[in-house]
Amino acid sequence: MQRRHHGRGRGYRSRRRIGPNEWAVRARVERFVEPTLLLLLKERPRHGYELIELLPELSGGERVDVGNLYRFLRALESEGIVESEWSADLPGPAKRTYRLTEAGERLLDQWAEALLRSREEVSAFLDRYEKGGE
């Protein structure tokens, strides 16, 4: 699908022009924050600031906006994917601690299956690329 651009040369989110016939390309998995959060919560219940610190390790180093993370966690909670409770047993002020529900574990399993399929597709692409496209 060809996309037309007007104005400032904005293009696909996965690439941008950096010069004549030169591109900065970033291979990315869209919506990767969700499976990353689910995996971190499967390991153990966590509070939001702990999630914010751990997410970059699994999502390519990008930090997540605090407000966006809490909105996302509330949305996951409204769908029954995570649940939360206030915990005062941690140092400092009380914090909301999130945990994965059974539905969340099933969703994480589905994410893992989808990512395995994606890995196979990417591997097939890279194998063909390395062989010169044949």
Side-chain angles (χ1 to χ4, degrees):
M1 178 168 104
Q2 189 76 20
R3 198 168 162 194
R4 295 187 179 232
H5 311 290
H6 302 286
R8 309 185 88 176
R10 293 187 45 85
Y12 297 100
R13 290 173 33 170
S14 58
R15 66 177 163 87
R16 65 181 171 82
R17 186 180 298 275
I18 57 174
N21 297 318
E22 285 188 75
W23 300 91
V25 176
R26 180 166 181 251
R28 56 188 276 168
V29 177
E30 295 292 327
R31 310 297 299 172
F32 196 60
V33 170
E34 182 174 289
T36 303
L37 277 173
L38 299 180
L39 178 58
L40 290 170
L41 292 174
K42 181 176 180 168
E43 293 171 354
R44 68 180 176 80
R46 300 180 190 270
H47 58 84
Y49 282 105
E50 187 178 10
L51 292 168
I52 286 170
E53 289 193 11
L54 293 171
L55 277 168
E57 295 174 18
L58 296 173
S59 62
E62 287 190 32
R63 285 194 59 81
V64 174
D65 176 72
V66 175
N68 287 340
L69 176 67
Y70 283 109
R71 279 188 291 280
F72 190 61
L73 286 166
R74 280 194 300 274
L76 290 175
E77 191 166 18
S78 72
E79 293 181 83
I81 295 167
V82 303
E83 57 190 16
S84 69
E85 65 183 10
W86 285 102
S87 178
D89 59 342
L90 299 169
K95 296 174 178 74
R96 186 172 288 277
T97 302
Y98 296 87
R99 86 177 90 270
L100 202 58
T101 63
E102 286 184 34
E105 288 193 31
R106 285 192 302 278
L107 179 58
L108 176 58
D109 291 343
Q110 291 171 319
W111 266 111
E113 290 170 14
L115 288 167
L116 282 170
R117 285 190 305 273
S118 292
R119 180 172 67 181
E120 291 167 2
E121 293 166 1
V122 169
S123 291
F125 170 87
L126 291 172
D127 289 346
R128 187 170 182 139
Y129 173 79
E130 289 169 355
K131 292 176 185 171
E134 294 186 25

